[in-house]
Amino acid sequence: MMLVAAQILIVLGAIVLGARLGSIAIGFAGGLGVLLLGMTGIPVTREDIPFDVIGIIMAVIAAIAAMQKAGGMDYLVHVAERLLRRNPRHITYWAPIVTYLMTLLAGTGHTAFSTLPVIAEVAKEGGVRPSRPLSIAVASSQMAITASPISAAVVLMASLLEPKGVGYLTLLAVVIPSTFLAILPTAFLTNYLGKELADDEVYQERLAKGLVAKPSGKLSEYTPTKSSKWSVGIFLFSILSVMVYATISTEQVGLISDPTIPRNEAIMAIMLTAATAIVLVCKLDAAAILNTPVFKSGMSASVCVLGVAWLGTTIINHYIDQIKSASGDLLSQMPWMLAVVLFFAAALLYSQAATTKAIMPAALAVGVAPLTAVASFTAVSALFVLPTYPTLLAAVEMDDTGTTRIGKYVFNHSFIIPGTLCIALAVVFGFAFGAVLL
């Protein structure tokens, strides 16, 4: 028993150390944890490393980074800015929709970085407390990962559920509407969180000190180039290609009964092909893509998934029989507990894909019903619980009014209520849609 306790402390200690160091060090610390687990007698194997997940992240990030270098991200932000500025007073509703859709299409939440300054600017123009749209925008961007057709978490989840009779299309048919519909009531309630901007003492204090920049009130000067439009078009076509291929190669459709390229490999190949096409069509210097912010953050995410998922899967697989006997009856009587487990695991593991890899196989192994697994899947998006995730910190830094803040008790930050509520509603909607479709 003492050995088990020590091994659990190793896992928790590695995760906490990684979280304190931040960024790519989360993955580094995961590798340290694996090394220490191996020294305590737990078998370590490469089979516990989610190479498919890492490969998909790398391929998708490569395509997005090429698009960013070609100006495609600037073009998408310009389109988003035009939409957001149409009605600044309703920014709390439009901001999460914009970040959700951008993440849904891109398969990574890093796209939200570009829109956060626009959201903060437009909120000030409309006299809206910026913490409201920023908090729900960050949360909805994280949640959209569990609905994106090309995200590593969704692809991994689909591969786990297919032996249970739930196909890729069915999974998307449940998670896309359940996550999107959760945004609207959450945005409505978020509009009542905190004081109005004009009544906020911190804002008034910063305003008096001249620390709050006046909103420009107009669109940023930007003229889309042919390269920017071509890169976006190629990327969107690649997403469509992935969805079409994944659809026709499923057992439910069966147009390709024995595909020579499996779905995961097809996603990687299509995304790398898209990156190639963007480089050729837009005449890019391929070496310059390595310096784009998206590429750097995406490769950092790959290392994080490598270390953290390997760490979590190693200890869970070693004790899978004990986990089955301890949790099987509990989850059968209270299936919603899976969502709670995923919620807190994601808060520590810092990755939707890593959390899915670490927890879902064990959950399905103990007899969790496919409906419960699909409905609870959205809970792997709880990356906002600890206020150290990059997009969360970026939102705090970009709000010069001071309304988006982290409290002195760490967990009393601007994102905890909107994020938790959004996930809870998505899980409820997931059970509702899943009961009909599964």
Side-chain angles (χ1 to χ4, degrees):
M1 194 64 186
M2 290 291 293
L3 181 60
V4 175
Q7 290 166 344
I8 293 174
L9 286 175
I10 287 173
V11 173
L12 294 176
I15 292 172
V16 171
L17 174 62
R20 285 180 62 88
L21 295 175
S23 187
I24 198 172
I26 298 170
F28 297 165
L32 170 63
V34 170
L35 182 63
L36 295 176
L37 287 179
M39 294 173 64
T40 65
I42 292 182
V44 174
T45 171
R46 67 185 298 276
E47 300 301 322
D48 290 333
I49 300 176
F51 285 112
D52 277 2
V53 172
I54 296 169
I56 290 170
I57 292 174
M58 293 176 68
V60 171
I61 288 298
I64 296 174
M67 181 176 68
Q68 184 177 42
K69 186 60 183 175
M73 288 297 295
D74 293 332
Y75 177 54
L76 289 176
V77 172
H78 175 67
V79 173
E81 183 180 4
R82 292 179 63 181
L83 175 64
L84 293 172
R85 288 189 183 278
R86 286 183 177 179
N87 198 331
R89 295 197 63 81
H90 292 162
I91 184 67
T92 307
Y93 296 99
W94 287 112
I97 292 175
V98 166
T99 55
Y100 176 92
L101 292 177
M102 290 183 69
T103 302
L104 182 79
L105 293 174
T108 172
H110 298 300
T111 55
F113 280 112
S114 302
T115 59
L116 294 178
V118 178
I119 293 170
E121 172 86 2
V122 175
K124 287 192 294 183
E125 287 177 19
V128 176
R129 183 185 178 93
S131 63
R132 295 169 179 172
L134 285 171
S135 61
I136 182 60
V138 168
S140 64
S141 175
Q142 293 179 358
M143 194 171 64
I145 292 291
T146 61
S148 173
I150 58 172
S151 75
V154 167
V155 174
L156 174 60
M157 188 65 177
S159 65
L160 293 173
L161 289 171
E162 280 176 345
K164 305 290 183 180
V166 179
Y168 173 78
L169 284 180
T170 306
L171 173 62
L172 291 177
V174 174
V175 294
I176 290 178
S178 60
T179 52
F180 183 77
L181 290 177
I183 294 172
L184 302 178
T186 303
F188 174 79
L189 294 173
T190 302
N191 250 336
Y192 295 93
L193 293 178
K195 296 180 180 180
E196 295 301 322
L197 181 60
D199 300 327
D200 189 89
E201 295 86 354
V202 174
Y203 166 67
Q204 292 297 339
E205 182 180 343
R206 291 180 62 83
L207 189 63
K209 293 180 179 179
L211 299 176
V212 181
K214 291 184 178 180
S216 64
K218 59 182 180 180
L219 278 171
S220 57
E221 295 182 4
Y222 172 77
T223 302
T225 63
K226 287 185 178 180
S227 292
S228 65
K229 293 182 178 179
W230 269 108
S231 66
V232 171
I234 292 170
F235 185 75
L236 293 179
F237 180 77
S238 69
I239 296 173
L240 180 62
S241 301
V242 165
M243 294 186 66
V244 170
Y245 186 84
T247 300
I248 63 178
S249 60
T250 57
E251 293 182 3
Q252 290 85 347
V253 178
L255 291 180
I256 303 178
S257 57
D258 188 18
T260 55
I261 307 179
R263 183 187 58 238
N264 291 8
E265 286 78 358
I267 292 175
M268 288 183 261
I270 290 172
M271 285 298 154
L272 291 176
T273 301
T276 304
I278 292 172
V279 170
L280 289 173
V281 172
C282 301
K283 299 178 181 179
L284 301 180
D285 176 8
I289 295 173
L290 301 176
N291 297 319
T292 60
V294 165
F295 187 86
K296 291 178 180 179
S297 59
M299 294 307 110
S300 173
S302 297
V303 174
C304 291
V305 170
L306 166 63
V308 172
W310 193 11
L311 174 65
T313 306
T314 295
I315 191 168
I316 286 175
N317 284 349
H318 184 66
Y319 290 109
I320 188 64
D321 292 333
Q322 293 89 328
I323 293 172
K324 286 181 181 179
S325 61
S327 61
D329 292 338
L330 176 65
L331 289 176
S332 63
Q333 295 173 11
M334 295 183 291
W336 53 268
M337 279 297 295
L338 176 60
V340 177
V341 171
L342 292 171
F343 183 92
F344 287 105
L348 295 174
L349 296 180
Y350 262 48
S351 165
Q352 294 91 338
T355 306
T356 303
K357 174 64 176 176
I359 305 296
M360 277 300 184
L364 293 170
V366 303
V368 167
L371 170 60
T372 300
V374 173
S376 303
F377 176 46
T378 306
V380 304
S381 304
L383 279 56
F384 55 82
V385 175
L386 291 174
T388 52
Y389 198 74
T391 49
L392 185 153
L393 292 175
V396 174
E397 292 173 5
M398 292 172 186
D399 180 11
D400 60 4
T401 67
T403 62
T404 308
R405 47 187 177 246
I406 299 170
K408 65 177 181 178
Y409 301 110
V410 181
F411 293 102
N412 59 328
H413 52 76
S414 301
F415 307 84
I416 193 72
I417 294 176
T420 303
L421 179 59
C422 207
I423 287 179
L425 289 173
V427 170
V428 171
F429 288 141
F431 274 105
F433 284 109
V436 175
L437 297 173
L438 300 183

